[in-house]
């Protein structure tokens, strides 16, 4: 009988090896960006500043978004990738990580955050300050420099540009709604609603974290706008949107719930959504179920930098039954997403080239990573 511990160890080692290989492409990408600075006759201190900006802000996270491009291309191809295919898929993945870094550097300044990924936020580093605004622009600009250098000759180059530009704009739209709905210094729960939460999550998180990696992989694999498969007309990009945006919503609801229920050891941080006046799933569910007396408690205690008031909100969440309501939400979300995935035909009918059709495995891989996660 197989030993589950050995199986887990093998999976962990494979995961580490995949990450190390992916990180190798970052080193090459960073060196190319630095070489471009040198070619532009940038002063030595500016070159070193840019290198530090890249090293500090881009590679330190979980890298799930970027690595998902590589995984998705491999699933779509149905085989191991050539060295060139791997490099191009990984480079697109690192462009997402550059986009993520651009968002985080600027977001931390807007929120006046103190730490990020276990270290001070970039703008908090001595000597950086407001220069971080321009540094965030440089991280975004690097995306388009790399796309031009490595993909300009490809038939799908304009599709890549449009994907990054449209996704960036959508994310910024979500950030705007989030900032004006839930400022830390002005608590007004009447601005909150589940519909508002859904909009913020879709635009601020789901598009760039879930749809973008898969859409980039599909473009690289020359998946067309539509094709006939098993006698059915498939619109793969619309189908990907239909599956991945709800999946992104589910992921964020998990994050919101874990912020309330998880321990620092479990989730790697102290949950702050309650004291930071976040428009999270938990508060919106509480508002939807609260009695008038419970609503008064929420109004009096939510979004306050006070541990005793935070404790009252947590006690009220338990009283309302947030854990049970989350369980129900998770099961319903999983069934809904599985149902959408199963609308994708499993067999081709020979009318479309193998490797250029969307596959269930791409979406199932995402769902398997997050279903029932606890951190």
């Amino acid at each position: 009988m197989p030993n589950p511990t050995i199986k887990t160890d093998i999976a962990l080692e494979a995961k580490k090896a995949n990450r190390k290989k992916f990180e190798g492409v970052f080193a090459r990408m960073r060196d190319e960006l630095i070489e471009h600075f040198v070619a532009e006759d940038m002063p030595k201190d500016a070159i070193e500043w840019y290198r530090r900006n890249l090293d500090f802000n881009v590679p330190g996270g979980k890298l799930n978004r970027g690595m998902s491009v590589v995984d998705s291309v491999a699933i779509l191809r149905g085989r191991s990738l050539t060295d060139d295919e791997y490099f191009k898929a990984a480079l697109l993945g690192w462009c997402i990580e550059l986009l993520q870094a651009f968002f985080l550097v600027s977001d931390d300044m807007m929120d006046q955050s103190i730490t990020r990924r276990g270290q001070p936020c970039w703008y908090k580093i001595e000597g950086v300050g407001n220069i971080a605004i321009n540094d965030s622009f440089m991280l975004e600009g690097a995306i388009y420099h790399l796309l031009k250098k490595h993909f300009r000759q490809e038939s799908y180059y304009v599709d890549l540009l449009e994907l990054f530009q449209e996704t960036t704009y959508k994310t910024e739209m979500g950030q705007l709604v989030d900032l004006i709905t839930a400022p830390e210094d002005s608590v007004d729960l009447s601005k909150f609603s589940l519909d508002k939460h859904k909009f913020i999550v879709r635009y601020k998180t789901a598009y760039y974290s879930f749809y973008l990696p898969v859409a980039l992989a599909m473009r690289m694999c020359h998946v067309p706008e539509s094709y006939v498969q098993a006698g059915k007309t498939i619109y793969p990009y619309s189908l990907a949107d239909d599956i991945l945006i709800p999946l992104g919503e589910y992921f964020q609801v998990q994050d919101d719930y874990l912020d309330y229920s998880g321990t620092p050891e479990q989730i790697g941080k102290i949950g702050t959504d309650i004291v930071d006046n976040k428009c999270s799933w938990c508060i919106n569910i509480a508002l939807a179920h609260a009695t008038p007396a419970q609503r008064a408690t929420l109004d009096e205690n939510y979004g306050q930098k006070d541990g005793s008031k935070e404790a009252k909100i947590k006690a009220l969440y338990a009283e309302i039954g947030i854990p049970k309501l989350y369980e129900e939400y998770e099961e319903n979300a999983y069934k809904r997403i599985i149902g959408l995935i199963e609308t994708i035909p499993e067999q081709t009918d020979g009318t479309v080239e193998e490797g250029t059709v969307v596959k269930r495995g791409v979406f199932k891989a995402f769902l398997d990573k997050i279903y029932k996660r606890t951190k």
Side-chain angles (χ1 to χ4, degrees):
M1 194 171 177
N3 187 326
T5 303
I6 294 174
K7 216 173 170 184
T8 302
D9 288 345
I10 292 170
L12 285 172
E13 286 304 313
K15 192 173 180 181
K16 285 180 185 176
N18 288 339
R19 182 181 174 109
K20 188 174 181 181
K21 184 178 181 182
F22 185 68
E23 288 174 331
V25 175
F26 170 77
R28 177 175 165 182
M29 177 190 80
R30 179 199 57 214
D31 291 347
E32 283 186 10
L33 291 170
I34 296 301
E35 285 167 14
H36 176 246
F37 257 46
V38 172
E40 291 287 330
D41 293 325
M42 291 289 282
K44 187 176 180 181
D45 57 349
I47 293 169
E48 288 309 309
W49 185 283
Y50 189 38
R51 182 194 301 275
R52 190 175 169 218
N53 177 15
L54 291 166
D55 284 338
F56 189 93
N57 291 304
V58 182
K62 296 175 184 175
L63 308 182
N64 288 338
R65 295 169 181 84
M67 293 177 69
S68 291
V69 181
V70 178
D71 294 342
S72 297
V73 170
I75 293 169
L76 290 168
R77 290 278 194 240
R79 57 170 172 76
S80 298
L81 302 182
T82 65
D83 289 345
D84 182 61
E85 286 173 332
Y86 181 88
F87 173 73
K88 284 186 172 177
L91 188 65
L92 289 174
W94 279 111
C95 283
I96 298 179
E97 296 298 332
L98 280 164
L99 185 66
Q100 162 86 336
F102 158 55
F103 290 148
L104 296 185
V105 169
S106 54
D107 187 63
D108 285 342
M109 294 191 76
M110 287 180 247
D111 290 347
Q112 290 294 288
S113 298
I114 306 300
T115 60
R116 167 74 66 182
R117 296 171 176 169
Q119 59 188 356
C121 296
W122 177 241
Y123 81 100
K124 284 288 187 181
I125 298 295
E126 185 177 353
V128 177
N130 285 340
I131 299 172
I133 298 171
N134 192 67
D135 289 336
S136 73
F137 298 160
M138 296 298 296
L139 294 168
E140 183 192 25
I143 297 167
Y144 298 100
H145 172 78
L146 292 165
L147 291 178
K148 183 177 180 181
K149 180 176 180 182
H150 291 281
F151 295 94
R152 194 168 191 275
Q153 75 283 3
E154 302 290 351
S155 60
Y156 53 86
Y157 173 59
V158 172
D159 295 312
L160 299 182
L161 294 179
E162 288 184 347
L163 270 171
F164 274 101
Q165 289 172 337
E166 290 170 4
T167 303
T168 301
Y169 196 33
K170 279 185 166 69
T171 306
E172 290 162 349
M173 291 162 67
Q175 174 74 339
L176 172 61
V177 176
D178 191 21
L179 288 170
I180 64 177
T181 299
E184 279 193 53
D185 59 352
S186 178
V187 182
D188 182 358
L189 298 185
S190 67
K191 289 184 176 181
F192 289 11
S193 70
L194 284 167
D195 284 342
K196 187 76 69 72
H197 176 265
K198 186 174 184 177
F199 181 90
I200 292 169
V201 169
R202 277 178 169 247
Y203 280 76
K204 188 177 175 180
T205 301
Y207 279 108
Y208 92 92
S209 298
F210 289 86
Y211 179 75
L212 181 59
V214 173
L216 290 172
M218 288 164 63
R219 290 299 182 189
M220 184 176 158
C221 292
H222 302 281
V223 174
E225 295 292 336
S226 66
Y227 53 84
V228 176
Q229 186 179 9
K232 181 180 179 181
T233 301
I234 304 294
Y235 300 93
Y237 295 92
S238 176
L239 186 59
D241 188 291
D242 290 344
I243 295 170
L244 292 164
I245 299 307
L247 204 153
E249 291 172 14
Y250 167 38
F251 174 84
Q252 187 59 52
V253 170
Q254 282 182 320
D255 251 19
D256 291 352
Y257 179 71
L258 289 171
D259 186 275
Y260 147 65
S261 67
T263 64
E265 294 75 23
Q266 180 185 353
I267 63 174
K269 63 178 183 178
I270 297 170
T272 61
D273 283 359
I274 292 172
V275 297
D276 287 347
N277 189 37
K278 295 295 184 183
C279 183
S280 82
W281 180 84
C282 297
I283 182 61
N284 281 296
I285 287 292
L287 289 168
H289 289 80
T291 65
Q294 289 171 330
R295 173 57 190 261
T297 300
L298 292 172
D299 285 325
E300 290 165 13
N301 295 280
Y302 196 77
Q304 308 295 318
K305 309 291 187 186
D306 182 323
S308 63
K309 292 189 174 185
E310 180 187 23
K312 287 180 182 178
I313 295 293
K314 287 189 172 184
L316 187 54
Y317 281 178
E319 187 180 309
I320 288 172
I322 295 291
K324 179 66 176 173
L325 291 167
Y326 172 74
E327 272 184 38
E328 293 171 2
Y329 168 86
E330 182 167 48
E331 289 310 309
N332 289 333
Y334 181 82
K335 287 174 185 174
R336 180 187 170 206
I337 294 164
I338 281 290
L340 289 166
I341 292 171
E342 288 176 351
T343 65
I344 302 170
E346 288 189 301
Q347 303 297 325
T348 65
D349 52 11
T351 59
V352 183
E353 183 185 346
E354 183 63 31
T356 65
V357 296
V358 71
K359 295 179 179 178
R360 292 183 184 184
V362 171
F363 308 104
K364 192 71 167 57
F366 268 91
L367 186 57
D368 287 346
K369 284 176 188 174
I370 67 172
Y371 180 54
K372 295 286 188 183
R373 72 186 176 100
T374 58
K375 61 181 181 178

